[in-house]
Amino acid sequence: MHKLRAFYQANNFPITTFKKYFKYSTVSELIMDVVLPTILSSLLIFYASYSIDSLSDLISKFQQVSGQVISAISILAGFNIASITVLSTINGGPTGILKRKKSTDGSSNLYDMLICFFSWAVIIQLIVVLFSILLYYIGSFIPEGFKDLYVPRWTWLIAIAWMSITIHSVFLSIRNMKTLYLYVTYDPKKENEANKENQSE
C-alpha cells in the first residue's frame, strides 16, 4: 500500500495540475475552455456522421486528420513550454506583484496560478498527441472483418472526446497567448496612472 501511494504521489502531477486548473478557472473560462469545445466537437462529429457509413470510413477519416492534429498540437505545446520559460525568467514587472497577491482562498498566489494554466495546456496537448498516436496505431491494425461493420455508438463517443480535448487545448493556447502578451507588455507607469485616476474619482 505504501508503494502504491508513493507511486501515485510521484506520478500525480497531471491530476493535481488539472485540479488546480479547474479550481482557479472562472465560470466564463470553463465555459470557453470546456463547454464550448464539447459543443463544437459534438456538432462536428454529428455533421461528419452523415458521410461515414462504416468503421473503415471512420478510421480512414481519423487517420487523415490525426497526422495534422499531432503536428499542430505539438507546435502549441512547444509554444506553452517556451511561454513558461519566458515567465520564469522575468524577475521584474508583474512577477513580484503576482507573487504577492493571493488567490481568493489564500492557498496560492497569482503567479503560481498563471504557471498552472500554462502547465495544464502543455499536459493536455501532450495527452492529445499521445491519444492520437495510440488511436492511429490501433486503427491501423483493426481486422478486416471489423472494418465493414456499422460504426458503434461508443466509437462516436471516443471521437467526440478526442475532438473535444483537441479543441480544448487550442482554446487554452489562445487564452495563454493573451496572458503572455499582457505579461510581457506590462507597464507599471500605466497602472499607477490608472490607480491615481480611480482614486481621484
Side-chain angles (χ1 to χ4, degrees):
M1 189 67 180
H2 177 71
K3 291 183 178 180
L4 289 176
R5 186 179 303 170
F7 176 82
Y8 173 77
Q9 291 177 349
N11 298 279
N12 67 345
F13 179 71
I15 298 175
T16 55
T17 304
F18 170 74
K19 289 180 179 179
K20 290 180 180 179
Y21 159 77
F22 194 82
K23 177 181 179 181
Y24 296 133
S25 296
T26 62
V27 175
S28 60
E29 288 172 340
L30 290 175
I31 291 174
M32 188 68 182
D33 294 345
V34 180
V35 178
L36 187 57
T38 303
I39 294 174
L40 286 175
S41 300
S42 301
L43 293 175
L44 289 172
I45 297 301
F46 179 76
Y47 174 76
S49 65
Y50 284 97
S51 61
I52 297 175
D53 299 322
S54 63
L55 188 59
S56 61
D57 291 338
L58 180 61
I59 293 172
S60 176
K61 297 294 184 183
F62 171 79
Q63 290 180 333
Q64 291 176 12
V65 175
S66 61
Q68 300 173 0
V69 168
I70 291 173
S71 299
I73 297 301
S74 298
I75 293 173
L76 292 179
F79 157 73
N80 284 291
I81 293 173
S83 299
I84 293 174
T85 304
V86 171
L87 295 175
S88 62
T89 54
I90 298 178
N91 295 321
T95 303
I97 298 174
L98 293 177
K99 287 183 177 180
R100 288 192 298 269
K101 290 185 178 180
K102 295 291 184 179
S103 59
T104 305
D105 59 359
S107 61
S108 180
N109 58 59
L110 298 186
Y111 181 79
D112 291 339
M113 292 168 58
L114 182 64
I115 296 298
C116 173
F117 291 144
F118 280 89
S119 298
W120 172 246
V122 174
I123 290 172
I124 194 63
Q125 284 158 0
L126 294 179
I127 289 175
V128 169
V129 172
L130 177 61
F131 198 25
S132 300
I133 293 173
L134 291 176
L135 290 179
Y136 186 92
Y137 182 84
I138 293 172
S140 300
F141 294 97
I142 290 181
E144 292 294 332
F146 289 95
K147 291 186 177 181
D148 294 330
L149 295 177
Y150 183 75
V151 182
R153 185 173 299 177
W154 60 267
T155 308
W156 292 117
L157 295 177
I158 291 176
I160 292 174
W162 174 76
M163 184 69 73
S164 296
I165 63 174
T166 301
I167 298 177
H168 167 68
S169 68
V170 174
F171 280 19
L172 275 178
S173 294
I174 294 174
R175 180 153 62 90
N176 287 346
M177 184 65 220
K178 175 187 175 182
T179 303
L180 182 64
Y181 171 79
L182 295 174
Y183 195 91
V184 298
T185 59
Y186 171 78
D187 187 354
K189 294 181 180 179
K190 292 183 179 179
E191 183 178 1
N192 292 333
E193 291 176 357
N195 291 333
K196 290 180 180 179
E197 291 179 359
N198 293 332
Q199 291 176 358
S200 62
E201 292 177 358

